[in-house]
């Protein structure tokens, strides 16, 4: 059984390693099939593809799209996309375009809470001029002593109701799914266990996603507990969605689990890679 890890990040978004280094590490960890899924970005894929050839593993072209659904932010992973598809690249560019002004507003909000210099501080951690994220602010907040570690930052800052949170409109769910399909890929609801929705809200999300043509749900994620593996496997079966699996790895000291460290998919689900 090949080992799949279909969700991780590089320096083209908020990961700590360049695409080639992520790929070598994945290979060393025993991953056979890796998807690089940078936030709203496909520019790291050529480097990852080259590295995968040398490492002898399979690289799946991916991305993680930021989506606003019913006033909350959700993430949709794209798998098996053509990164040169113009519908997709234009959609991603539009989605990324608000990030710089959002970063200014995040810094203003932190300044108002008594944390000056966060914009310049976050910029020290940005590794692609095309993509500034809350992760870069989080790294600065740890450096400046406002939180002990990355795991603690988001509890006090950068989330709804906290300093450094700003509302933002991302792509819509139909847009994200359509762009992914235009590029020949599959659309996957990322880490559903992380969303602040009621059980009814989760069923509404999955039903709407499926009705829009969405393909799969991330059943196994480092964000999920084993109980949630079972819960989302059931959801996948009930809603007729396939099941995916991804560590959401960001870097050596920042991640909840190593690349490729997830168990096998629960029985009874159709893997997202069934027809690959
Ligand atoms: P953004 O796309 O700028 O809103 O940043 C979202 C990123 O912040 C996610 O992809 C994670 O890498 C990180 N993040 C968000 N919430 C948390 C959390 N509670 N713990 C750790 N990282 C988080
Ligand atoms: Mn991230
Ligand atoms: Mn995500
Ligand atoms: Mn991710």
């Amino acid at each position: 059984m090949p080992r799949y890890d279909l969700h991780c990040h590089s320096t083209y978004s908020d990961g700590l390693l360049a695409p080639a280094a992520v790929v070598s590490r994945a290979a060393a960890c025993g991953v056979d099939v890796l998807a690089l899924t940078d936030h709203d970005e496909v520019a790291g894929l050529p480097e990852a593809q080259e590295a995968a050839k040398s490492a002898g593993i399979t690289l799946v072209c991916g991305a993680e799209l930021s989506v606003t659904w019913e006033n909350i932010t959700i993430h949709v992973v794209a798998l098996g996309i053509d990164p040169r598809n113009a519908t997709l690249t234009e959609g991603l560019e539009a989605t990324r375009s608000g990030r710089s002004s959002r970063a200014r507003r995040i810094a203003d909000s932190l300044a108002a809470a008594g944390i000056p210099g966060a914009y310049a501080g976050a910029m020290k951690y940005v590794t692609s001029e095309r993509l500034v994220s809350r992760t870069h602010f989080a790294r600065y907040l740890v450096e400046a002593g406002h939180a002990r570690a990355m795991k603690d930052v988001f509890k006090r800052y950068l989330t709804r109701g906290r300093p450094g949170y700003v509302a933002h409109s991302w792509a819509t769910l139909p847009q994200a799914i359509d762009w992914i399909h235009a590029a020949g890929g599959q659309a996957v609801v990322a880490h559903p266990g992380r969303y602040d929705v009621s059980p009814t809200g989760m069923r509404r999300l999955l039903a709407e996603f499926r009705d829009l043509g969405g393909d799969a749900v991330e059943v196994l994620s480092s964000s999920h507990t084993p109980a949630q593996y079972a819960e989302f496997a059931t959801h996948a079966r009930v809603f007729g969605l396939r099941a995916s699996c991804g560590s959401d790895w960001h870097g050596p000291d920042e991640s909840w689990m190593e690349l490729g460290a997830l168990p096998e998919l629960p029985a009874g689900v159709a893997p997202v890679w069934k027809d690959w």
Side-chain angles (χ1 to χ4, degrees), residues 9 13-15 39 64 75 133 135 248 250:
H9 297 273
S13 63
D14 58 352
H39 296 285
E64 182 176 14
H75 288 168
S133 93
T135 310
D248 203 2
H250 282 73

Side-chain angles (χ1 to χ4, degrees), residues 156-246:
R156 270 195 277 163
Y157 302 100
L158 307 170
T159 45
R160 203 187 289 262
R162 305 286 177 176
Y165 176 77
V166 301
H168 191 77
S169 279
W170 304 104
T172 67
L173 191 56
Q175 281 175 328
I177 293 170
D178 288 351
W179 298 340
I180 293 166
H181 285 168
Q186 289 166 291
V188 185
V189 177
H191 44 60
R194 263 172 58 174
Y195 306 138
D196 187 16
V197 293
S198 64
T200 318
M202 180 55 67
R203 288 195 292 273
R204 207 164 53 242
L205 168 62
L206 296 176
E208 190 175 327
F209 180 78
R210 189 258 334 267
D211 292 346
L212 288 165
D215 301 278
V217 48
E218 218 169 56
V219 167
L220 303 184
S221 163
S222 61
S223 298
H224 290 173
T225 62
Q228 287 174 316
Y229 300 164
E231 178 189 346
F232 288 106
T234 300
H235 277 316
R237 271 192 287 109
V238 169
F239 287 93
L241 292 162
R242 293 194 173 181
S244 189
C245 145

Side-chain angles (χ1 to χ4, degrees), residues 21-154:
V22 176
V23 169
S24 334
R25 188 180 179 106
C29 290
V31 173
D32 299 295
V33 183
L34 179 75
L36 177 65
T37 56
D38 277 311
H39 296 285
D40 305 320
E41 176 64 287
V42 292
L45 292 170
E47 179 185 325
Q49 192 73 264
E50 277 306 302
K53 271 186 221 152
S54 321
I57 70 170
T58 301
L59 193 274
V60 174
C61 288
E64 182 176 14
L65 280 64
S66 308
V67 166
T68 301
W69 178 81
E70 290 193 355
N71 248 347
I72 64 165
T73 297
I74 68 161
H75 288 168
V76 175
V77 162
L79 296 176
I81 44 170
D82 169 6
R84 289 167 307 263
N85 178 271
T87 304
L88 176 67
T89 56
E90 285 162 19
L92 294 181
E93 192 177 350
T95 308
R96 283 195 307 270
S97 67
R99 281 184 174 269
S100 292
S101 59
R102 172 191 186 233
R104 295 275 178 197
R105 289 187 293 136
I106 289 175
D108 291 346
S109 165
L110 289 169
I115 301 175
Y119 186 81
M123 287 306 130
K124 287 195 294 179
Y125 292 94
V126 167
T127 45
S128 162
E129 58 176 5
R130 289 152 62 105
L131 202 123
V132 49
S133 93
R134 283 184 295 157
T135 310
H136 302 111
F137 281 92
R139 290 184 184 132
Y140 172 68
L141 290 169
V142 172
E143 175 203 317
H146 298 288
R148 228 176 299 157
M150 287 295 279
K151 292 179 165 83
D152 309 318
V153 187
F154 287 89

